[in-house]
Amino acid sequence: MTTNRLLTVAAMRRVDETAIADGMPGYRLMQAAGAAVAERVRALAPSGGRILILCGPGNNGGDGFVAGRLLSRAGFGVVLRRMGEVAGLSGDAALAATDWVAAGQPVDPAGPGSDLSGFDLIVDALFGAGLSRDIDGEARALIAAIDASGTAVLAVDVPSGLDGDSGAVRGAAVTATETMTFVALKPGHLLQPGRSLCGALHIADIGTGEAALEAGLAVDSLAAFRNGPDLWISAFPRPGAQGHKYTRGHVLVLSGPAFKTGAARLAARAALRVGAGLVTVVAPSGAMAENATHLTAIMLRACDSPDDLDDILTDERLDTVLIGPGLGIGEATRDLVAVAASAGRKLVLDADALTSFKGQAPLLADHIAQGDSQAVLTPHEGEFARLFANTDATDEGLNKLERTRRAAAILGGVVVLKGSDTVIAAPDGRAAINDHGTPYLGTAGSGDVLGGLIAGLLAQGMPPFEAACAGVWLHGDAGLRHGPGLIAEDISELMPAVLSGLLALS
């Protein structure tokens, strides 16, 4: 039983408590967790290989004792070491340790001077996701030794030292090759630096049951998800037999001056590739020739002022406007945003449209609210910091998920805070964290393409949160398909394959 919902540490604690209260013995849950860890070890290590299991003082260590007993029985050479005395264990972890000792197995101390060489795999069962303080002293030295060993590591629940809610490092953290967690992922598995520390993620059903899961989900008042097609595929646009280009939406992309036209064209092509029926680049008169040289299926209109844009938008069929890439920073751009918002158009705001409102997030929120616009904003970290300066979205100590949620609430629009752990948040608190991507997307123009993908999906009637989540996932999928050598132009050209693969799943 797994879910695309993310569970906070408190929610997962409630899952366990509810399952136990409903009659599932806690030790049975621990045995199931340990069995899942042992199964993953068998996939990672050679048959009969040497396995070092490092156990901590809580239930995470209990999972390690169970895994060790099963692996030893299966013929692996298991060495189990524990931080602290076995006599100090209590509850289910004590039962797991008793079963290990009863099988005639020794428990060695796990200290910073422990020899970690000569093993095929290390199982990190030291500390779980609910770590309450920073790691220091001998535990910190042991984590450093694990990372220095060069041996592959399977982490239990989370790499030791990782905060399960924020993805932050609590003093020091293990760098794992893979992580085995239970029931559902936590935000810290996907938020950086946690995402990089976890390695490949695996989720095991340990028999807690649907009722316990629902009880856990109820603890988190705001829903967070791992971004993927199951989150938004039901809203994904598909052309109908009687459809035509006018039923698939019309995207306007505002271009900058003649020496800054490429970003708008990248966005426009992405909007067309993702299925928008019509796309028009609106450009200053001085940039018309430059744009006309490169555009074919994408139309072109002149726009030299906010009044010109107002005139263009008297055509109600022009339903979605993308503003920002290469447009220029300042009052003129702010006025263009105000015009498009007051016309009630669906908006995608990126790049210069965001920086033009530096420190003026309330003003931008007013524009969005006045036009009752469906708005998606796609800042990177620098643009986010500028736009939301002096708001509670940039309060110290917030993790990325919390910052993005606050930003969306301030603006009354969907915020896509880009990065290797892109977070998408809606004003109602729903949020998704994306891990479907590749570092090769970090290239000039990639963000412009993302804006175009989202605009194209909005134009086809997808709700803003779902359109933003889908656009981020499609963008990442294109990057994964291409790999090394990716440039922004490649992303749109990969859309036919990406879309075919997506629709084959549904």
Side-chain angles (χ1 to χ4, degrees):
M1 174 194 57
T2 58
T3 173
N4 67 336
R5 275 285 299 270
L6 304 177
L7 292 179
T8 61
V9 172
M12 188 60 218
R13 189 176 297 119
R14 179 66 61 82
V15 171
D16 288 340
E17 291 169 350
T18 304
I20 292 168
D22 288 346
M24 173 67 74
Y27 189 35
R28 190 179 300 174
L29 295 177
M30 183 172 286
Q31 288 173 316
V37 172
E39 185 65 26
R40 195 63 208 153
V41 169
R42 285 192 282 269
L44 291 172
S47 179
R50 295 194 73 223
I51 311 299
L52 172 62
I53 301 180
L54 299 172
C55 295
N59 283 345
N60 202 244
D63 297 341
F65 275 104
V66 172
R69 179 167 49 82
L70 295 174
L71 290 167
S72 180
R73 185 187 301 166
F76 286 85
V78 177
V79 173
L80 191 145
R81 297 176 185 160
R82 181 185 179 275
M83 294 198 68
E85 297 297 324
V86 174
L89 288 171
S90 62
D92 297 324
L95 292 175
T98 298
D99 283 351
W100 168 261
V101 173
Q105 301 288 355
V107 180
D108 298 326
S114 301
D115 183 8
L116 306 184
S117 63
F119 294 98
D120 296 296
L121 182 72
I122 296 173
V123 176
D124 164 27
L126 292 169
F127 304 105
L131 195 63
S132 59
R133 62 181 179 84
D134 284 357
I135 288 177
D136 56 14
E138 289 191 356
R140 185 166 186 155
L142 179 57
I143 286 174
I146 294 169
D147 286 346
S149 71
T151 304
V153 177
L154 174 65
V156 178
D157 191 19
V158 296
S160 290
L162 181 68
D163 186 293
D165 287 337
S166 70
V169 172
R170 300 296 303 268
V174 169
T175 300
T177 309
E178 295 192 1
T179 296
M180 172 61 73
T181 194
F182 314 108
V183 182
L185 294 178
K186 300 173 183 67
H189 287 120
L190 302 182
L191 293 172
Q192 294 287 19
R195 178 182 169 188
S196 293
L197 294 173
C198 287
L201 292 164
H202 302 276
I203 311 169
D205 177 3
I206 57 172
T208 50
E210 291 292 337
L213 175 60
E214 290 301 322
L217 294 175
V219 170
D220 295 335
S221 58
L222 300 177
F225 303 86
R226 184 184 198 179
N227 188 29
D230 53 349
L231 180 59
W232 39 261
I233 193 64
S234 63
F236 199 82
R238 296 170 176 80
Q242 297 184 24
H244 48 77
K245 62 186 177 184
Y246 294 108
T247 62
R248 294 169 65 182
H250 193 152
V251 177
L252 292 187
V253 182
L254 274 61
S255 169
F259 57 91
K260 284 189 174 181
T261 59
R265 289 196 302 275
L266 284 169
R269 189 166 182 84
L272 196 64
R273 275 291 191 194
V274 84
L278 296 154
V279 179
T280 297
V281 169
V282 290
S285 297
M288 291 292 282
E290 177 71 18
N291 277 308
T293 302
H294 297 279
L295 298 177
T296 48
I298 295 166
M299 296 178 287
L300 183 62
R301 292 184 67 171
C303 177
D304 290 305
S305 69
D307 286 341
D308 288 346
L309 179 60
D310 196 31
D311 290 341
I312 291 170
L313 291 177
T314 58
D315 185 345
E316 296 290 338
R317 295 174 299 179
L318 309 176
D319 54 88
T320 304
V321 184
L322 170 56
I323 305 177
L327 194 58
I329 298 168
E331 183 179 359
T333 295
R334 290 195 298 273
D335 290 344
L336 290 168
V337 171
V339 166
S342 65
R345 295 306 196 264
K346 303 169 188 176
L347 298 177
V348 178
L349 304 179
D350 185 29
D352 293 347
L354 304 176
T355 300
S356 291
F357 286 88
K358 179 181 179 180
Q360 300 182 71
L363 175 60
L364 180 53
D366 286 345
H367 289 322
I368 292 170
Q370 281 182 347
D372 195 26
S373 300
Q374 299 181 53
V376 178
L377 297 88
T378 59
H380 57 55
E381 287 284 2
E383 292 159 347
F384 186 95
R386 290 189 287 271
L387 175 59
F388 294 102
N390 305 316
T391 73
D392 65 3
T394 54
D395 285 353
E396 188 175 354
L398 296 177
N399 64 52
K400 190 171 183 177
L401 178 59
E402 293 166 333
R403 290 189 290 125
T404 312
R405 276 179 165 149
R406 289 193 181 187
I410 289 168
L411 290 177
V414 172
V415 174
V416 179
L417 182 49
K418 296 182 289 193
S420 58
D421 55 349
T422 293
V423 176
I424 307 102
D428 62 9
R430 286 177 299 154
I433 306 173
N434 188 73
D435 66 334
H436 188 73
T438 169
Y440 294 114
L441 286 165
T443 185
S446 176
D448 305 320
V449 175
L450 174 60
L453 294 174
I454 295 171
L457 294 171
L458 278 174
Q460 295 172 81
M462 226 177 163
F465 178 69
E466 287 76 7
C469 290
V472 168
W473 190 92
L474 295 171
H475 188 256
D477 199 62
L480 288 167
R481 286 172 183 267
H482 192 286
L486 175 77
I487 60 174
E489 287 93 329
D490 297 324
I491 302 171
S492 292
E493 302 318 299
L494 284 161
M495 275 304 113
V498 169
L499 293 170
S500 294
L502 171 68
L503 295 176
L505 297 175
S506 59

